[in-house]
Structures are given as C-alpha cells and as structure tokens.
Amino acid sequence: ESLLQQAAKAAGIIGTELAQFMAQTNHESWDFSRLKEKGMGKEYFSKKYDPKFAPRTAKILGNKHVGDGEKFHGRGFIQLTGRDNYRMASQALGVDLLKHPELAERPDVAAKIAIWYWQTRVKPYINNFNDTKAVTQKINPAMRGLKDRHAKFIDYKHIL
C-alpha cells in the first residue's frame, strides 16, 4: 500500500484524487491482499474471457485466441484484464506483459500499471474526484463494489 501511495504521489496524484485512487486500488486488490483475480473453479477465466466461451467479452478485451482468457485475466492493483490492455500497458511502460503477463502481479510493475491506467483511462474523463460512481464506471463498468469503493474513499479522504 505504501509503495503504491508513494508512486502515485511521485506521479502527481494528490489530494482528493489520491484518496479516490487509493480507494479504487484497495478495492480492486482485495484490501491490497491480492494482485491476481480470483478464479472460481477450473476454466473460470476461459469461460469468462475466452473467444470460445465468451466471444462478446473476448472481443471487447482483444482476446483473440483460445487461452487468452486464462493468460490475460485480471492482475495488479487495478486488475488489468485482456490482451489489448496488456499490450497497451506493455507499450507504455516498456515491460513485455504479452510474453510475461505474470509480471503484472509484481508490486513494482503493478504500481506502474495502476498509475498508467489511471492517468490514461480514468483521470482524463473525471471532472470531480469526489464522484465515486463516475470514477468506478471507468474502472469497472458493471459498477461492482460501488458501496465499498465509496466507503474506502471516505476513509482515505480522512487519512490523507
């Protein structure tokens, strides 16, 4: 948590924005206890993200081949998911996440990915970082965990 917070501050994420960033990454990583998406049983990621089982979702994520769902499932503080996201993060950060997607589970790499994602996919579209709903929509369009994310945001606002 402190590694991520320091990296975020170094990248210029401060104040209310930092509180929201920390709340979102806290939620996404199960209170900073996991840097890998929880799979529920055998073939969970294939059924959720592979072109064979979930062609619509696979297309959105850029998963083209059978096995991409397993290979490019959610990892990191912000749960990077899908071949296209791994490719874009690889290009932006100079880390070969396509050949080595497991690198996204390393805290130092996960911090870089979270900051890159925030600065390119979240920040440009948010006018008010007090709006947890708007921020969550950019990270999890299904709005899963909105109440938890907002409660964590309120906590971080008081702490930071």
Side-chain angles (χ1 to χ4, degrees):
E1 181 176 7
S2 63
L3 167 89
L4 181 61
Q5 189 173 327
Q6 289 171 358
K9 284 179 180 177
I13 301 171
I14 57 171
T16 303
E17 180 185 358
L18 179 61
Q20 193 64 258
F21 175 80
M22 294 303 296
Q24 294 288 336
T25 54
N26 183 313
H27 177 84
E28 289 279 305
S29 65
W30 295 273
D31 298 318
F32 299 113
S33 69
R34 295 180 62 97
L35 293 179
K36 186 174 180 179
E37 183 178 359
K38 273 186 198 177
M40 309 284 212
K42 193 176 179 183
E43 296 186 351
Y44 174 81
F45 299 121
S46 295
K47 289 177 182 171
K48 194 169 177 182
Y49 304 126
D50 247 29
K52 180 179 176 182
F53 298 105
R56 188 168 174 255
T57 301
K59 186 176 182 176
I60 291 167
L61 295 171
N63 290 344
K64 301 172 187 172
H65 311 292
V66 172
D68 279 357
E70 177 66 38
K71 189 172 184 179
F72 301 111
H73 65 270
R75 290 185 178 91
F77 292 116
I78 211 136
Q79 294 297 299
L80 189 68
T81 307
R83 177 183 283 276
D84 280 352
N85 286 318
Y86 277 77
R87 178 185 48 75
M88 287 182 275
S90 289
Q91 290 170 345
L93 303 172
V95 177
D96 193 349
L97 297 169
L98 289 175
K99 285 187 182 169
H100 302 284
E102 70 282 357
L103 292 174
E105 295 173 49
R106 273 188 19 200
D108 60 325
V109 176
K112 289 176 185 174
I113 291 168
I115 292 164
W116 163 80
Y117 191 93
W118 186 265
Q119 291 178 329
T120 60
R121 303 285 184 79
V122 179
K123 187 174 185 167
Y125 306 99
I126 303 300
N127 296 320
N128 178 2
F129 283 103
N130 284 298
D131 187 348
T132 302
K133 187 176 181 183
V135 174
T136 299
Q137 200 279 326
K138 293 295 174 193
I139 295 169
N140 186 315
M143 306 296 278
R144 288 192 179 89
L146 181 61
K147 285 183 182 179
D148 181 61
R149 292 168 196 263
H150 189 67
K152 289 178 188 318
F153 168 63
I154 298 300
D155 289 344
Y156 276 109
K157 262 182 87 166
H158 293 308
I159 295 168
L160 300 173

